[in-house]
Amino acid sequence: MSVRVQAWGIIAAVLADSDPSGAAIRQRLSNSLDENPGVPERALLEYLLETRRNDAMAAQEPEDGPRRLAPPVLPPQIIEQMDAIQSMSRISALLESQMLMTAFQPIYGLAGRNVVGVEALSRFVSDDGAAAELWFAEAAAVGLGANLEFSALGSAAAAARDLPEHLYVSLNISPSSCIDPRLPELFAHIDLPINRVVLELTDSISDEEYLQFIAAINPLREKGLRIAVDDAHSGAGDLSRMIHLRPDFIKVGRNVISRVDSDGLQQALAACLVDFSDQIGSTLVAEGVETVGELKVLSQLGISAGQGYLLGRPSVRPQDWATWNKQLDVDVLERQLREHETASGSAPPKKSR
């Protein structure tokens, strides 16, 4: 159902209310409809904002002060619909104003100790970046998830023009958006060659969508597109499916690599995943590398690549991206880390996703 159709439904319910305390505000809603013909959502938002202002003013008045008539109490279903329309308006405004930036985080090849790729992470101009997942969740909840994803993909592809040309670019996308017909159209309109693109799936592929996903993604893989999956979404069934899907990259996180330098069971788990990825022809990438000890053991185990705050923070600055052609010196990194910890008296911060 469109925003406009929902707005008309809510407005009809509000105007049908007979509570005298809300007569004045209902009249203003009716007047706003006349002033905004054909745009009921704008009139509804003005009504919603005035209602919230009245609530706030009523809360600030002293108990012994003059009493205002309480605003009309709306049914919970109407309030939910209003909240949904407010979310739609927020996301729509974000999409229209293109308030999206892209931060890139380097991914190092652990054998050659050089940057081989980057992961694109969305940052919102009106936000510090920490709540990016909340924006995407809110968009998905009101049916605009794919729109926001494709806007983020376009923003990342445009920003990637300033990256060193030898780096691949990992773009986060939901399996549902991979089925969207806009995906092949995207590759026809961006400057980033498809053989430099890795689509990193942000969720498991549902059974209902699996065949559609394969049908949509295989023609793109034949043109050079690569895909990555996250072990966080890998139950036993998903591991079995990986044998069929054969992703180009498998990404393992802190649940696998935490204490891998001091815990024998963690080492055994990581070694099993190295063997599994070798068997199906996938590149294993360790996410969230935080200590030099972890980095050394991961390299010894044969994990192909790694990323994390230890190796490089996400950055929106092209001047930082331009430096990602230098080889990593682990001894220098270890010394710098010790000096930082001595100066600050704390361990390096963890990556916030």
Side-chain angles (χ1 to χ4, degrees), residues 20-39:
S21 66
I25 196 172
R26 286 197 299 275
Q27 183 58 51
R28 284 193 287 276
L29 172 59
S30 180
N31 293 342
S32 182
L33 282 173
D34 294 337
E35 295 166 4
N36 298 281
V39 193

Side-chain angles (χ1 to χ4, degrees), residues 105-120:
Q105 184 173 33
I107 301 171
Y108 276 83
L110 299 189
R113 301 288 169 82
N114 58 317
V115 179
V116 295
V118 297
E119 179 179 353

Side-chain angles (χ1 to χ4, degrees), residues 197-342:
V197 176
V198 176
L199 292 184
E200 184 171 334
L201 304 184
T202 58
D203 205 347
S204 299
I205 309 168
S206 69
D207 292 340
E208 295 78 13
E209 291 183 336
Y210 186 70
L211 292 180
Q212 288 178 278
F213 174 85
I214 294 297
I217 214 71
N218 276 354
L220 297 175
R221 294 184 80 178
E222 290 171 1
K223 294 179 180 179
L225 176 73
R226 289 172 286 178
I227 61 172
V229 298
D230 191 327
D231 78 308
H233 309 128
S234 301
D238 284 326
L239 285 174
S240 174
R241 183 174 284 172
M242 277 191 201
I243 297 173
H244 177 259
L245 184 60
R246 305 216 172 212
D248 302 278
F249 299 89
I250 299 174
K251 304 191 82 169
V252 295
R254 294 297 298 169
N255 60 318
V256 173
I257 67 174
S258 176
R259 306 184 316 280
V260 73
D261 54 331
S262 59
D263 187 320
L265 289 177
Q266 288 292 87
Q267 285 190 28
L269 175 58
C272 287
L273 287 171
V274 170
D275 183 61
F276 176 76
S277 63
D278 286 344
Q279 291 291 329
I280 66 171
S282 299
T283 297
L284 199 61
V285 181
E287 283 191 296
V289 181
E290 295 180 357
T291 71
V292 173
E294 290 170 353
L295 179 62
K296 289 181 176 179
V297 171
L298 293 171
S299 300
Q300 293 166 3
L301 289 172
I303 289 183
S304 302
Q307 69 182 100
Y309 270 10
L310 177 72
L311 300 172
R313 294 169 176 266
S315 173
V316 298
R317 293 157 46 94
Q319 52 265 49
D320 292 336
W321 311 339
T323 66
W324 293 341
N325 54 8
K326 300 177 182 177
Q327 193 171 42
L328 182 70
D329 189 322
V330 176
D331 294 331
V332 171
L333 183 64
E334 188 170 20
R335 184 170 65 251
Q336 291 174 341
L337 191 63
R338 282 200 304 267
E339 291 171 353
H340 171 80
E341 290 177 354
T342 301

